[in-house]
Each structure stands twice: as structure tokens, then as C-alpha cells.
Amino acid sequence: MLNDTQFNRIWVSLVVYLVQIPLYFIMSYVAFSFLYGKPLIYQILSTNSAVGSIVANVFHSWVACELIFFVHYALAKRRLGKYSQEIPDMSLEDRWDLINQCLETIDDPVDWCTGWFRDKSTLRRPHIQEIRQGNIREWLAWAFWGKSMPRVLANPLHAEQLEQLLELAFEKLGNKIAGGYNDRLQCIRLNLDPIRSTYRPLVLYGVVYVLTYIFDYHLMQLGFNRYENGSRRQSWRSILLDDAEAIKEAMSGGMPSPGGKIVHWHRPATGVAKGPPIVFVHGIAAGLMCYNWFIQKLLRHCGENRGLIFIEMPYVSMHINQAIPTSPELVDEIRKMLDIHGYDKATFMGHSLGTCVVNWVVKNIPERVAGVTLLDPVVFLLHYSDLAYNFVHRAPTTPNERLISYFAAQELYTAFYIARRFDWNDNMMFIGNQDGKAYIKRYGDDSIPLGDLKVFVSENDNLINSQRVLHYLKAKKVDCELMPKLDHAAFLFRTDWGDNISRVHA
């Protein structure tokens, strides 16, 4: 994406500040208008002219909308923070399978342990000597149960398993942990921690919606048809109504309702089909439009001989949308999607968060998977703190970190998804290898063979430890390729890597 230069730091910081200016401007305008006794705009425009009156009315309408939206943001953040999704409980056998797979892939126990903790006052990472057994017990209760420690200890079976897990952790750490509890430390527990988000003006959401509609029109011109929950919904009326319903629900003040509409775009092969279709799942940003150049590459290299399907996830695309389907609902819809279009199998390609969706598909409907391509994957070695800390808790310093933090991680509805609807354990992907063939390990079940697995890792990925992930994948003999000097999602702006990735399935 962007090199870490002083110029890039300045202009990225300037963009972030400019986006936040409307709120400060409106607050100042309202305050000074009250002090002055009448709206300040009347000092500039004449209320006697029709044009001046119209401009003043439009301006005040915008000010009112932004103020209402700011109040909505404050109330919604508080409301969504109280949302509690019960993470599905595992069987005793499945949890031990997960624990063992995590412990087997820890090559740096001290880094693994200390990364999940921060000093409350300085936010620095503590030394291993500062962490106490009570701190680790508290974190393990969240990591493998998704609950607070008192709730885990309330179940005798879970309490016993937690103590056994604690002994294994101590053994992994060389028994370096002292007893007691260090209350100066806090551990990262995503679905228990407060939602970390920052306000962005209504006008910014409006710009994103307009650009999304323009890109939707572009997809239609390219021959794609839009489907919603399995039915073709191509009209602009249906698109606008869907967004209006999502906004209405989010603004209503109620808790998120179960499930959510699932939209995908489909274009059949324009020539003779020579392979299964490609199903692409985007990551966190502003939706499919961020992938325009990459989509053009897929069309050029694969559009003639393969069908193309793009899945939308508006709840992580800077949309006002709190309706989020569960992973089983999304997988079931993907199964129906393939049936509707007459495909027995598909090659699934995911980028960033999209690799989690691909992981769900592989685990739950492996019979529909012809191949897997993962771009900037975030599903490997999730028991290390890299992704959780870098995406949610890190104070950004570089231009890329600042862009990801403000325009992705700290958007309210994206932050809600990560903090309350992201099942950490469900998104982990463990790879095995037998007779030179990769397979995915699934807790308590037979392993799932992967005949065609390709992984692309960015060398300078600022969200994950790319060298650690690359070492893990190569040790498992996975066909993986390092994208030199690239940061997370930077391949989207490099035509050479767009060509290389799309040619894999040409």
C-alpha cells in the first residue's frame, strides 16, 4: 500500500482529520449560533433571496442530520457494547483437540503468552516475570470458552478442564509463572472488552453508499446478476430497499436481530466452461468496490472459462448495518447458491476476513470445495495475539496502520462484528500434511483433504506475523507464495500480483 515516509504520514493524518472536521465544525457552528442568538449562516447569506433561503435550509438540514447521527452513534455504541452472543459450547473432546492443536504449533511460548497482555497504565507488553497464574487463568477462560473466568469456574467440568489446561500452559512456559494475580495487567478478550470505535460523519457513509451503487451498476454492465438469499434481485428498487431496511433496523435502537440478508453477484462463463466457478469473498474495507482492479484481472484471465461469484458482506463494508448472519447461515446460503447456479463444486478464494468464510465452507461442506486460494490469510496461528492486537488494540504509527485503524477497524459496525460476533475458535485453520497432500484438521472429525490449496502471504503484512505464518505453512508443505515488500492488501494496487493470482485459476 503506502511506504512509511514522512510525506505519507502527513497526508494520511490530514485525510483522517479532514474526515472528522464536519463534526467539529457543526458543534462549533451550533455553539456560536446559540451565543450569537441566531444562525451564523445568516451573516453570510441574505434570507431575502430565494437562493439564500434554499442554501440555508439545505445547510441546516445537513447540520440536523449530522447531529442526530452523532447521537445515534453514541447510543448505538453503548447499546451494541451490551450485546452478548453466546459462543457455541464445545464438547470436551473437541476442546481438547483445539487445545492440543494450539499447543503443538507454539514455537515461542513466551511471545505467545506475553502478547495477550498489556500494562493498564502504559499499554506496554509485560515481561513474562510480571504475569501471574491468575492472569493466565483469566485469559485461558476467554480463549477456549469465550467467557469470563467466574462463568467458566461455575461449571465444575469446565473448571477442572481449565486447571488442566493451566498446567499444560505452565509446562509449555517452563514453569516460569508465579502464583497470584497482577492487577496492573489486562488481557485481550475480544468479545468481553469494550467496543473500540471512533465516530465518522454521516456524509462519509453517504459517499460510501453512492460509490457502492456506482460499482453495482458497473458489475451489472459486466454481466453480473445480483441475488439475495437465493433469489435474483437485480432492480435498483430492491437494492435501495435492502439498504433502507438495514439502516432502519440499525437506527431503531434495538438489539441486532438474528441473521441477515446474504447477497452475491454471479456471472456464468462467457465461453466453454473448463473448470469449477470461482467464489470470491472480500475482506474488511468498503466492500467489493475496493477490489475493482483485481476483479478486472479475474475477468480477463478466468471470465471466459469459469463462472464468477462474489459474496457481499455489508456489515464489514462501512455500511450502517448490524444484521449479521451466523457462520452456519452463511455456509448454508453458499450451498444453496451453488445449487441455484448448477455447480457441484467451486474454487473458493478469500482475502483477509474472507479467508475466515472460506475456512467455514471447507470445514462444513468440503464436498463442494474444488480448491482453495487464500490471500493475506488471517486464519493461521490465531492463538498468537498478532491479529487481535494489531487490528483492534494497536496505536497506529505508520500510514498503512492509520488507514486500517480509522477506515476499517474503528468503524462502528465493523468494530461490533469483530468485538461481538467474531468467534475466534471457529476461524482457526490448522493444516496437516500426509503423503505430500495438505489437509485441514477439524476438531473431533476426520481431516479434510485439500487437493488444491494455494496461499499468498504479504511479506510486510502489518496485521499478522507473516514470517511465522510462512514458516508454519512451509513446514506443512503448503503451496504458498511470498509477495515481497507488500503490506496487507497491497496486491490490490499491483497489476503484476493481480495477474499472478488470477492466472492460478486461468
Side-chain angles (χ1 to χ4, degrees):
M1 292 168 70
L2 298 174
N3 293 324
D4 187 15
T5 64
Q6 189 65 24
F7 174 76
N8 285 337
R9 287 191 177 203
I10 292 173
W11 81 258
V12 168
S13 298
L14 184 62
V15 167
V16 171
Y17 290 134
L18 286 174
V19 170
Q20 298 177 71
I21 277 179
L23 177 63
Y24 302 130
F25 169 75
I26 288 171
M27 294 296 189
S28 301
Y29 175 81
V30 172
F32 281 108
S33 293
F34 270 110
L35 290 174
Y36 187 74
K38 68 177 183 178
L40 291 180
I41 195 171
Y42 294 146
Q43 300 298 310
I44 303 173
L45 299 174
S46 171
T47 56
N48 296 325
S49 68
V51 173
S53 179
I54 292 173
V55 171
N57 288 336
V58 170
F59 175 76
H60 286 146
S61 297
W62 171 64
V63 168
C65 288
E66 287 288 358
L67 286 174
I68 292 171
F69 190 68
F70 176 73
V71 172
H72 157 74
Y73 165 80
L75 295 176
K77 182 177 181 179
R78 182 180 179 183
R79 167 174 50 86
L80 294 175
K82 296 178 180 178
Y83 180 88
S84 177
Q85 180 187 13
E86 194 69 23
I87 295 176
D89 198 14
M90 291 183 178
S91 68
L92 191 66
E93 180 185 10
D94 286 357
R95 185 172 289 109
W96 274 120
D97 283 347
L98 172 61
I99 291 169
N100 289 329
Q101 289 182 47
C102 288
L103 293 177
E104 288 171 3
T105 51
I106 295 174
D107 56 4
D108 189 341
V110 172
D111 182 53
W112 166 73
C113 178
T114 58
W116 289 101
F117 296 90
R118 288 296 182 274
D119 186 285
K120 289 180 180 179
S121 57
T122 64
L123 299 181
R124 65 172 179 82
R125 176 188 286 208
H127 298 293
I128 190 66
Q129 293 81 5
E130 299 175 70
I131 301 174
R132 300 292 183 263
Q133 294 181 13
N135 301 105
I136 295 182
R137 183 183 287 107
E138 181 181 55
W139 175 75
L140 290 175
W142 168 78
F144 293 99
W145 281 268
K147 302 175 182 178
S148 63
M149 187 171 62
R151 290 189 62 192
V152 175
L153 295 178
N155 184 315
L157 288 177
H158 292 171
E160 180 182 358
Q161 194 177 18
L162 177 59
E163 292 307 311
Q164 293 172 347
L165 173 56
L166 195 63
E167 291 299 323
L168 290 175
F170 295 159
E171 182 180 337
K172 195 75 177 178
L173 292 165
N175 297 310
K176 301 175 182 178
I177 308 300
Y181 183 87
N182 186 346
D183 58 9
R184 295 193 305 274
L185 301 182
Q186 61 185 7
C187 61
I188 298 173
R189 300 179 298 171
L190 288 187
N191 63 311
L192 300 180
D193 293 337
I195 293 177
R196 300 170 65 90
S197 69
T198 54
Y199 175 78
R200 61 230 37 235
L202 180 61
V203 68
L204 178 60
Y205 285 101
V207 170
V208 171
Y209 275 105
V210 170
L211 293 177
T212 300
Y213 296 146
I214 293 173
F215 187 73
D216 288 350
Y217 176 77
H218 176 57
L219 287 177
M220 294 177 191
Q221 297 303 111
L222 291 173
F224 284 88
N225 290 310
R226 180 181 180 273
Y227 292 80
E228 177 187 304
N229 288 349
S231 301
R232 187 171 181 270
R233 299 286 297 275
Q234 187 82 351
S235 70
W236 283 107
R237 182 177 182 274
S238 64
I239 294 174
L240 294 173
L241 282 177
D242 287 345
D243 285 337
E245 289 177 8
I247 293 172
K248 181 181 178 182
E249 179 186 345
M251 300 284 287
S252 67
M255 284 294 185
S257 57
K261 293 181 179 178
I262 300 169
V263 173
H264 74 270
W265 295 82
H266 171 250
R267 193 185 91 155
T270 57
V272 179
K274 296 182 180 179
I278 296 173
V279 178
F280 177 75
V281 190
H282 65 79
I284 294 175
L288 285 170
M289 65 178 175
C290 298
Y291 296 81
N292 180 45
W293 290 347
F294 182 65
I295 288 173
Q296 298 297 329
K297 299 296 183 182
L298 284 175
L299 287 170
R300 178 184 304 172
H301 297 293
C302 309
E304 182 178 353
N305 301 320
R306 286 179 181 248
L308 294 174
I309 298 175
F310 303 139
I311 296 175
E312 284 189 350
M313 297 190 291
Y315 42 88
V316 290
S317 301
M318 285 189 66
H319 282 52
I320 304 171
N321 191 320
Q322 65 182 26
I324 304 171
T326 63
S327 57
E329 289 172 338
L330 189 52
V331 170
D332 188 57
E333 187 62 29
I334 290 173
R335 180 194 292 110
K336 294 177 182 177
M337 174 187 75
L338 296 178
D339 291 338
I340 289 169
H341 300 303
Y343 299 124
D344 292 329
K345 295 186 176 185
T347 295
F348 289 87
M349 178 185 293
H351 173 243
S352 192
L353 180 67
T355 62
C356 296
V357 178
V358 173
N359 185 25
W360 304 340
V361 171
V362 172
K363 288 179 179 178
N364 293 283
I365 50 172
E367 69 279 2
R368 309 304 295 268
V369 179
V372 171
T373 300
L374 304 178
L375 314 173
D376 290 335
V378 296
V379 293
F380 300 117
L381 305 181
L382 277 178
H383 49 289
Y384 279 90
S385 65
D386 303 309
L387 181 64
Y389 175 74
N390 290 336
F391 191 77
V392 179
H393 291 271
R394 175 182 60 194
T397 56
T398 70
N400 290 338
E401 291 174 4
R402 195 164 180 79
L403 285 174
I404 288 177
S405 176
Y406 184 78
F407 290 101
Q410 294 190 26
E411 192 277 322
L412 176 60
Y413 297 98
T414 298
F416 166 65
Y417 175 80
I418 295 298
R420 295 296 181 267
R421 297 296 300 272
F422 190 83
D423 185 348
W424 214 245
N425 294 333
D426 193 34
N427 292 302
M428 290 186 178
M429 178 182 281
F430 293 97
I431 299 292
N433 189 282
Q434 188 172 4
D435 299 328
K437 296 181 180 179
Y439 63 87
I440 289 179
K441 297 179 180 180
R442 187 170 57 177
Y443 329 132
D445 294 318
D446 294 334
S447 300
I448 303 168
L450 284 173
D452 182 13
L453 172 63
K454 179 74 175 181
V455 182
F456 291 85
V457 179
S458 295
E459 182 179 25
N460 296 330
D461 196 315
N462 73 83
L463 293 182
I464 65 170
N465 187 323
S466 55
Q467 294 303 321
R468 179 184 287 143
V469 170
L470 195 69
H471 175 76
Y472 169 73
L473 294 175
K474 287 186 174 180
K476 302 298 181 181
K477 296 182 171 56
V478 172
D479 183 7
C480 56
E481 191 164 349
L482 183 69
M483 296 186 282
K485 299 181 180 180
L486 295 193
D487 202 342
H488 194 86
F491 75 91
L492 296 173
F493 309 98
R494 289 281 299 269
T495 57
D496 53 344
W497 279 108
D499 283 325
N500 292 343
I501 294 169
S502 55
R503 283 197 188 105
V504 170
H505 303 293

